[in-house]
Amino acid sequence: MSAEYPDGETSEVNLVTAVRDTLAQELRRDESVRLLGYDMGPIGGVFRATEGLYEEFGENRVIDTPLSENGILGTAAGMAMRGQRVVPEIQFLGFFYPAFGQFMYTVSKMHERTGGGFEMPLTVRVPYGGGIKSSEYHSESTESFFVHTPGVRVVCPSTPAETKGLLAASIRSDDPVMFLEPKAVYRAGTQEVPEDDYTLPLDESRTVREGSDITVLSWGARVRHAEAAADQVDADVEILDLRTLSPLPVEDVLDSVKKTGRCVIFHEARRTLGLGAELSALINEYAIDRLQAPIKRATGYDVHFPSHQTEEAYLPDEQRAADAIEAVMSYEY
């Protein structure tokens, strides 16, 4: 375990179980915590991330709602303004668009427009991204929409242990948080997760592995592909899991790139105006004199997320990450 995690007993769990266990932990820890969303009660949510919580904590703490994303987010915002610590669930990121009005007009702006009169302790949990061969509106990776919105933190875990610490920190934060859960890795593997309560910082990256030749920046479900790519290339690769997409861990990114002199940005979202574009601009602005090669992006394509028959061709995998690493490593001015 990293120094960030507490010592003591651990349990081997997958990512969606880490979500469920952390929600239960926070419901027990703080009476003001409330969950709400469609089908999250007796059914336990579309991915069973809230399974058993309705029975343990009751209908006033785990609130089953109608299928109305705008209503779910508006109700959550009102509850947060009345002093409750609210965790709404939207079933898929592609279903978030009906809630965009409440997100923009209320959730992101309330603290500022009231001169600090109201906090907004609200953590929106959203399964996001592709990889499960689902249908339209179920596989998008539109994190840039939220990163572009001031007043909101955007958090994206990649492992079960990260999920527990980041979700607990998000729920305890007085800022609104978009908590993006990479559903492709909900059940992709298990990890020993500390049973004791802990939180992780909401403004720092995680160094997945240290290296000296090239930096790979990634997050969410793509991190494991970055690790696989690093194993197959002839280079000493440093991988940063950004894990907090807003605020960006700027110093972590620049320190790593200044050390290695090369960078690949590897993400699932569409390339144009994806977060990789901002990261590339950031590095060019503050570390271009340290670069030994142009930055390269390995990303999704500028198309709507395809149907399940061609999903694998769309999603950037370890081979595309490895190709990008090798292209940067072999670059000559």
Side-chain angles (χ1 to χ4, degrees):
M1 282 292 166
S2 158
E4 291 184 295
Y5 303 123
D7 296 328
E9 296 295 321
T10 62
S11 297
E12 186 170 342
V13 300
N14 59 26
L15 197 150
V16 73
T17 303
V19 170
R20 189 261 177 217
D21 291 349
T22 307
L23 293 173
Q25 167 193 286
E26 294 303 300
L27 284 161
R28 293 187 193 104
R29 187 190 63 82
D30 184 346
E31 285 290 327
S32 73
V33 173
R34 297 283 188 280
L35 316 184
L36 73 161
Y38 179 66
D39 273 351
M40 70 155 28
I43 292 177
V46 64
F47 291 102
R48 304 299 183 261
T50 56
E51 192 167 40
L53 302 183
Y54 180 88
E55 290 76 12
E56 180 175 353
F57 298 98
E59 62 183 6
N60 293 324
R61 307 279 313 276
V62 181
I63 304 167
D64 221 18
T65 73
L67 181 55
S68 170
E69 288 80 7
N70 201 37
I72 292 169
L73 209 57
T75 302
M79 292 167 67
M81 292 172 67
R82 296 296 298 269
Q84 297 179 352
R85 205 163 281 278
V86 196
V87 189
E89 177 188 275
I90 303 296
Q91 285 195 338
F92 294 93
L93 190 58
F95 294 165
F96 192 83
Y97 308 129
F100 234 93
Q102 290 289 1
F103 175 71
M104 293 300 297
Y105 299 138
T106 307
V107 172
S108 69
K109 288 184 168 62
M110 188 56 69
H111 184 75
E112 184 192 20
R113 75 191 302 183
T114 61
F118 284 101
E119 304 287 359
M120 189 58 65
L122 186 157
T123 299
V124 186
R125 290 185 41 251
V126 193
Y128 94 106
I132 63 168
K133 297 190 181 303
S134 192
S135 54
E136 189 180 10
Y137 303 135
H138 291 65
S139 302
E140 295 180 318
S141 183
T142 51
E143 56 266 41
S144 289
F145 291 170
F146 309 110
V147 173
H148 200 65
T149 306
V152 179
R153 292 182 184 271
V154 183
V155 178
C156 180
S158 62
T159 71
E162 293 285 303
T163 296
K164 177 172 179 176
L166 292 171
L167 182 55
S170 297
I171 293 171
R172 298 177 198 186
S173 171
D174 288 332
D175 297 329
V177 178
M178 286 296 299
F179 196 82
L180 305 178
E181 297 171 3
K183 59 182 181 291
V185 291
Y186 263 159
R187 293 180 170 84
T190 59
Q191 180 185 26
E192 293 290 338
V193 175
E195 294 182 359
D196 287 345
D197 181 314
Y198 64 97
T199 61
L200 294 172
L202 297 180
D203 54 2
E204 296 179 10
S205 67
R206 175 175 68 102
T207 301
V208 178
R209 68 166 70 186
E210 294 189 0
S212 58
D213 291 336
I214 186 169
T215 297
V216 174
L217 305 176
S218 194
W219 55 92
R222 295 304 107 187
V223 171
R224 60 181 180 147
H225 296 283
E227 292 184 83
D231 289 335
Q232 65 176 278
V233 298
D234 184 20
D236 190 17
V237 180
E238 179 153 298
I239 301 173
L240 292 191
D241 172 6
L242 295 189
R243 74 183 183 184
T244 57
L245 309 184
S246 183
L248 276 172
V250 171
E251 294 301 323
D252 296 349
V253 170
L254 294 179
D255 287 349
S256 179
V257 174
K258 287 177 181 177
K259 181 179 77 171
T260 64
R262 301 178 181 88
C263 183
V264 163
I265 302 163
F266 179 49
H267 66 62
E268 184 174 329
R270 290 189 286 273
R271 169 167 300 208
T272 300
L273 294 181
L275 189 54
E278 174 62 24
L279 288 164
S280 179
L282 174 72
I283 295 165
N284 277 317
E285 197 166 355
Y286 294 104
I288 194 168
D289 57 336
R290 308 290 283 273
L291 290 177
Q292 300 179 47
I295 299 162
K296 196 167 185 62
R297 289 174 287 164
T299 70
Y301 301 115
D302 286 339
V303 298
H304 290 292
F305 199 93
S307 62
H308 62 87
Q309 294 96 332
T310 53
E311 180 182 76
E312 290 182 4
Y314 171 87
L315 287 170
D317 59 8
E318 53 263 39
Q319 189 57 56
R320 281 163 62 183
D323 291 344
I325 293 169
E326 289 174 341
V328 172
M329 290 301 301
S330 62
Y331 179 84
E332 295 182 4
Y333 282 103

